[in-house]
Amino acid sequence: MNLILLGAPGAGKGTVSAQLISLLGLTHVSTGDLFRQSIAEGTPLGIEAKHYIEAGCLVPDTLTANMLQEHLRSLSSSSGYIFDGFPRTIPQAEALDRILAEFNMDIDLVLLVEVDYELICERISQRRVCPLCGASYHLTLNAPARPGLCDHCAGELQRRADDSRETVMARLKTFEENTKPLIQFYEARGLLRRIDNSGPPEALREILRKVLST
Ligand code: ADP
Ligand code: ZN
């Protein structure tokens, strides 16, 4: 089974991914994580992607699709994937169809993760991430056991470089302009389901169970 998560920045695609992994055992693929890893390693891809990411823009489609294709070749999972943050444009969605065809795979389900903009801004301002293992925290709702330190690896928690107020506004605009057309695109194929992620994790778990059983 292959599943796509669509949603505005800060909608909680990471949280939804974590729950889906425990429910379905799929392999998580996040293009945002792959870019951050390339940036941390200082690879040519990372150096190029950094400018776009810090400006709240999308990394060009070809670059992103090629990175994803190589990553899937290196994973070659047989059970399937959760695509978190890819595709983000119509050309990327078309590229994903071609890439999956190489593995005789298809998209089975697209979940649109919805929350209102006010909550997005609040969540992003409270978000802290571990630079070592990628774990994500919310300062009040999902605080680490020891302030400022990752529960899993004791890494020093940081704000993401693109979580500043100005960059968040740019990322929301990018979502409106480039990614929203994908809602129609997948709705037309009958693959889209909407997930309300404005409640607590337990509520989300119930919503996911329901959607997956219909
Ligand atoms: P969020 O969904 O909170 O914006 P991500 O970690 O998914 O966070 O993405 C962070 C940034 O990485 C994006 O703002 C964008 O610059 C870049 N990025 C991630 N995925 C893609 C993609 N599929 N196409 C182009 N750029 C991407
Ligand atoms: Zn950590």
Side-chain angles (χ1 to χ4, degrees):
M1 176 183 202
N2 292 297
L3 201 150
I4 292 172
L5 292 184
L6 276 183
K13 296 188 292 295
T15 314
V16 175
S17 295
Q19 295 210 5
L20 287 171
I21 290 165
S22 78
L23 286 170
L24 299 172
L26 302 174
T27 302
H28 183 226
V29 175
S30 154
T31 43
D33 285 350
L34 292 174
F35 283 131
R36 280 184 289 277
Q37 199 178 325
S38 305
I39 292 171
E41 289 167 356
T43 66
L45 173 73
I47 290 165
E48 178 154 16
K50 193 170 192 271
H51 307 285
Y52 296 102
I53 293 176
E54 290 187 351
C57 301
L58 293 180
V59 179
D61 288 337
T62 311
L63 211 60
T64 308
N66 288 345
M67 171 181 76
L68 181 92
Q69 184 172 32
E70 277 181 25
H71 187 63
L72 293 191
R73 283 177 179 162
S74 77
L75 293 173
S76 65
S77 159
S78 52
S79 54
Y81 300 99
I82 298 172
F83 295 103
D84 167 355
F86 186 94
R88 269 171 139 99
T89 65
I90 300 276
Q92 287 184 17
E94 291 164 350
L96 183 58
D97 286 336
R98 289 194 297 273
I99 293 169
L100 286 177
E102 177 183 330
F103 305 96
N104 288 315
M105 285 177 157
D106 250 327
I107 294 299
D108 301 284
L109 188 63
V110 179
L111 298 181
L112 176 64
V113 184
E114 297 184 298
V115 300
D116 61 43
Y117 274 15
E118 217 170 286
L119 195 55
I120 284 177
C121 295
E122 196 269 345
R123 278 189 183 162
I124 289 181
S125 73
Q126 300 283 311
R127 171 157 72 185
R128 295 295 180 274
V129 293
C130 173
L132 302 180
C133 75
S136 181
Y137 299 85
H138 184 288
L139 287 183
T140 50
L141 299 176
N142 172 31
R146 289 169 296 169
L149 296 179
C150 178
D151 290 347
H152 307 288
C153 72
E156 261 186 67
L157 301 184
Q158 302 176 348
R159 279 198 82 161
R160 246 170 64 176
D162 60 347
D163 274 352
S164 69
R165 210 178 163 73
E166 312 79 70
T167 312
V168 169
M169 296 324 279
R171 282 158 63 204
L172 287 170
K173 188 159 175 271
T174 301
F175 174 76
E176 290 286 334
E177 287 170 3
N178 300 284
T179 308
K180 269 205 167 160
L182 288 177
I183 297 174
Q184 273 288 319
F185 181 89
Y186 287 117
E187 218 158 32
R189 289 199 196 174
L191 295 175
L192 194 93
R193 301 283 181 280
R194 292 164 192 270
I195 298 287
D196 174 19
N197 190 27
S198 44
E202 309 80 62
L204 174 65
R205 209 172 178 84
E206 269 321 297
I207 292 170
L208 288 176
R209 271 187 214 286
K210 269 200 198 126
V211 165
L212 292 171
S213 67
T214 53

